[in-house]
Amino acid sequence: RGELVGRVYVVVDDPSRANDPAAAVAAGTRMLEGRTRHPELAADAELSDDSRLWAALQEASGGTWGGCVYDVERITRLLAAGRHALGETPD
C-alpha cells in the first residue's frame, strides 16, 4: 500500500502453463468469461440515487482501477456520445 505495488497470483489447472504467465492469464480469462453470473447477483433495489450516480461516474472514469478520481473529459465525451447515439442534440 505504501509503495503502490500490487501482485496478482494466477492459479493454473495445467502445469505446462506454469512457466508461461501470458498463457496462464489467457486461460484464466477464458475460464472466467465462460462462467455465468449467480442468479441472485443483482443491483440493490434500494441503492440511493446518490450512490448510483457515484458508481456510474466512477465507472465512466475508468472504474476502481482508474484511481477513483473523476475523469471529467471522459465523462463529458461519454455523455456527448450517448446523446448522439440517442439522436438528441445538445441545447
Side-chain angles (χ1 to χ4, degrees), residues 7-64:
R7 291 176 184 80
V8 176
Y9 296 95
V10 178
V11 178
V12 296
D13 60 353
D14 181 351
S16 68
R17 297 183 198 171
N19 293 324
D20 185 353
V25 169
T29 299
R30 284 191 302 276
M31 179 187 69
L32 291 174
E33 287 175 345
R35 291 183 177 180
T36 57
R37 284 189 176 175
H38 190 282
E40 294 180 21
L41 181 63
D44 185 339
E46 296 181 27
L47 195 63
S48 72
D49 287 345
D50 290 345
S51 294
R52 289 178 50 228
L53 178 58
W54 170 82
L57 290 171
Q58 182 181 359
E59 178 64 26
S61 296
T64 302

Side-chain angles (χ1 to χ4, degrees), residues 57-90:
L57 290 171
Q58 182 181 359
E59 178 64 26
S61 296
T64 302
W65 297 113
C68 301
V69 177
Y70 296 139
D71 181 341
V72 176
E73 293 304 317
R74 180 168 165 72
I75 293 169
T76 303
R77 284 194 317 272
L78 288 173
L79 288 171
R83 284 192 303 271
H84 180 75
L86 295 173
E88 298 176 5
T89 56

